[in-house]
Amino acid sequence: MSLSFGTRLRSAMDERGPLCVGIDPHAALLDSWGLTDDIAGLERFTFTVVEALAGTVAVFKPQSAFFERFGSRGIAVLERAVADLREAGGLVVMDAKRGDIGSTMAAYAETYLRKDAPLFSDALTVSPYLGYGSLKPAVDLAKESGAGLFVLALTSNPEGSEVQRAVREDGRSVGATMLAHLAEENAGEAPMGSFGAVVGATLGDLSSFDLDINGPLLAPGIGAQGATPADLPAVFGAAVRNVVPNVSRGVLRHGPDAPGLRASAERYADEIREAVGA
C-alpha cells in the first residue's frame, strides 16, 4: 500500500462522495431489523450492510464495541467485514477509541495498524487524554503502514467539553492543543495529511478553533443526532472540504432492505456533496 491514508481518503471521497457510514449493530437496531441479538443476527446485519454498500460508499466506521460484546465470534465477524469492505474498495475507520501508554498503546496499534494484522484498518480512532505524546506508537506505525488516525478533539457528547474545552496554562484549550498537534503531523502533506480529528457536527459555531489541520475531520452527528448536511459549512468553515461526515442510524434504519440502504446512502452523499461544494 504505497499511497498514504490521506491520499486514498481524498480519492475515495472525490470518487464516491464524502460520506462515512457507521456500522453499529446494537441490540435495538438488530431488533428493528427483525433480527435476534446474537451471532446469527450480528452476521445477518453486518453482511447485509457490507453487500449493499461496500462498492459505493467511500468510508465505513464499524464500532468495535458492538462486535466485542459477542466475544471471539463477534470479533471474527468484524474481521470478515473489514476484509470484505476493503476488498470492495471501501476505506475502514475502526472506531475503537484506544488510548494508553507505552507497550500497551503499541499493542493497540499493532492490533489495528500493522499491515498483516487480522483487524488491519485504514484508520483508527484514538483517545489522546493521557497526553498527545502517549499516541506516538500509533502515530509511528500508522506512518509506516500508510494508515491514519482520528484523534478525539471536539466531540459531540455534552460531557466532552469539561475536558476538551478546559484551558491550559498557556491559555489554549485542550481541544485546540490536539488540533495543533495534528496540524504539525500533517504539515506539507498533499492532498491532505493522514492524521485527523473527531469533531462533532452538532457543535455549532467553531470559528474560535483552527480546524484547518491539513487533514480529515471525522464528523459524527448527522442524522439521528440532529445535524444535517446543510449545517456543515457553518460548523467547519474553510475546513469543510476535508470533513468526513458520519451517518449511522440515518442510513441503517432503512435495513434490512438492501435497495433502501443504498438509496439512503446515495441521498446523504449527494446532500453532503452539495453542501460542501465537492
Side-chain angles (χ1 to χ4, degrees):
M1 189 166 57
S2 58
L3 298 178
S4 70
F5 172 66
T7 299
R8 291 181 287 116
L9 177 60
R10 178 79 274 155
S11 178
M13 292 170 65
D14 289 347
E15 178 181 342
R16 297 188 173 193
L19 174 65
C20 172
V21 171
I23 303 180
D24 299 347
H26 54 76
L29 189 53
L30 294 177
D31 182 66
S32 74
W33 278 36
L35 300 174
T36 50
D37 187 24
D38 55 19
I39 286 293
L42 178 71
E43 288 183 331
R44 176 74 182 277
F45 174 91
T46 301
F47 294 110
T48 297
V49 174
V50 170
E51 290 168 14
L53 302 179
T56 57
V57 170
V59 186
F60 295 88
K61 184 174 71 66
Q63 169 48 258
S64 181
F66 292 123
F67 296 85
E68 293 174 32
R69 69 194 184 101
F70 293 104
S72 60
R73 295 176 68 192
I75 296 297
V77 173
L78 181 58
E79 289 178 4
R80 281 179 53 204
V82 169
D84 289 354
L85 289 166
R86 299 190 70 244
E87 185 176 358
L91 300 181
V92 174
V93 176
M94 183 61 70
D95 193 0
K97 298 182 179 70
R98 299 305 192 226
D100 215 307
I101 60 172
S103 59
T104 307
M105 190 66 232
Y108 281 137
E110 290 174 6
T111 301
Y112 303 103
L113 301 172
R114 196 186 73 239
K115 285 185 179 180
D116 60 350
L119 283 170
F120 176 75
S121 303
D122 296 281
L124 171 68
T125 61
V126 292
S127 174
Y129 296 109
L130 289 172
Y132 183 83
S134 67
L135 301 179
K136 188 176 187 302
V139 171
D140 290 347
L141 189 53
K143 290 178 179 178
E144 179 183 326
S145 301
L149 297 178
F150 283 100
V151 177
L152 302 179
L154 297 168
T155 58
S156 56
N157 62 304
E159 305 87 351
S161 63
E162 69 183 50
V163 174
Q164 296 155 15
R165 296 186 186 242
V167 177
R168 293 159 30 102
E169 291 181 357
D170 62 5
R172 188 165 58 179
S173 71
V174 173
T177 300
M178 298 308 157
L179 293 168
H181 281 302
L182 293 167
E184 185 176 350
E185 298 286 0
N186 294 325
E189 296 293 324
M192 66 177 170
S194 299
F195 297 92
V198 179
V199 178
T202 57
L203 294 178
D205 183 6
L206 292 175
S207 59
S208 61
F209 293 92
D210 186 0
L211 299 178
D212 187 12
I213 62 171
N214 189 34
L217 301 168
L218 181 63
I222 301 290
Q225 294 183 48
T228 71
D231 295 327
L232 294 172
V235 177
F236 293 95
V240 73
R241 184 83 169 81
N242 287 345
V243 171
V244 187
N246 178 77
V247 181
S248 297
R249 283 171 286 176
V251 171
L252 300 177
R253 66 184 178 87
H254 294 280
D257 177 59
L261 290 168
R262 282 192 290 269
S264 180
E266 289 169 4
R267 183 167 59 252
Y268 271 111
D270 288 343
E271 290 177 3
I272 293 166
R273 185 184 285 112
E274 181 178 356
V276 305

